[in-house]
Amino acid sequence: MDATLLHIQPAAPQPIYRQIAEQIRRLVAGGQLAAGTTLPSVRDVAATHAINPMTVSKAYSQLEAEGVLERQRGKGMAVAAGAAAPPSPAQRWDLLEPALDALARQAGELELPPDEVIARLRLRMEEHA
């Protein structure tokens, strides 16, 4: 995995360590990070995104405690064998629900029509496919 695969938004209300942890969880759940895949070092992620190394370390430690990552002596952190089991569709939806809730709330606050929000979401998904 390359450190540039992570998308960090410093101005977002969500703490950066949570952004990192949630993205890694989704990449594992979506099958983009297989068991044994080595993650970039804390230093590499911190340097690439100009963030504090302790922030990255906190995200990695949280994922290690959850069993998503495992520490490999001399190699750093890697995706744990058990974490790469294909999640059920319900588990994948559970990872997306908070973002959908936030999107729905923000679109309502901005009084945007649901059909236009859905159309723009569809475009974004096609751009990122």
Side-chain angles (χ1 to χ4, degrees), residues 25-34 84 86-87 92:
R25 275 189 211 101
R26 287 191 298 267
L27 290 168
V28 170
Q32 294 173 335
L33 292 179
R92 292 190 313 217

Side-chain angles (χ1 to χ4, degrees), residues 95-119:
L95 292 171
L96 187 60
E97 287 298 331
L100 291 174
D101 289 342
L103 175 64
R105 185 184 69 254
Q106 291 169 12
E109 291 168 353
L110 294 167
E111 297 182 352
L112 296 172
D115 56 334
E116 288 182 31
V117 172
I118 292 167

Side-chain angles (χ1 to χ4, degrees), residues 12 15 31 37 55-56 61 66-67 70-71 82 88 94 97 100 109 115 117 120 123 125:
T37 302
T55 301
V56 182
S61 294
E66 293 172 12
E70 61 188 7
R71 194 171 306 274
S88 69
D94 286 346
E97 287 298 331
L100 291 174
E109 291 168 353
D115 56 334
V117 172
R120 287 185 181 221
L123 284 173
M125 289 180 69

Side-chain angles (χ1 to χ4, degrees), residues 9-115:
Q9 298 175 329
Q14 185 180 43
I16 292 173
Y17 81 93
R18 282 194 187 153
Q19 293 179 41
I20 294 168
E22 288 182 6
Q23 286 179 55
I24 292 172
R25 275 189 211 101
R26 287 191 298 267
L27 290 168
V28 170
Q32 294 173 335
L33 292 179
T37 302
T38 304
L39 271 66
S41 71
V42 167
R43 272 191 213 144
D44 286 346
V45 175
T48 299
H49 296 286
I51 57 177
N52 189 319
M54 291 303 295
T55 301
V56 182
S57 182
K58 183 174 182 176
Y60 280 13
S61 294
Q62 180 181 19
L63 292 168
E64 182 182 22
E66 293 172 12
V68 176
L69 300 180
E70 61 188 7
R71 194 171 306 274
Q72 293 184 333
R73 201 171 291 186
K75 295 182 183 178
M77 297 297 264
V79 176
S88 69
Q91 290 170 317
R92 292 190 313 217
W93 278 110
D94 286 346
L95 292 171
L96 187 60
E97 287 298 331
L100 291 174
D101 289 342
L103 175 64
R105 185 184 69 254
Q106 291 169 12
E109 291 168 353
L110 294 167
E111 297 182 352
L112 296 172
D115 56 334

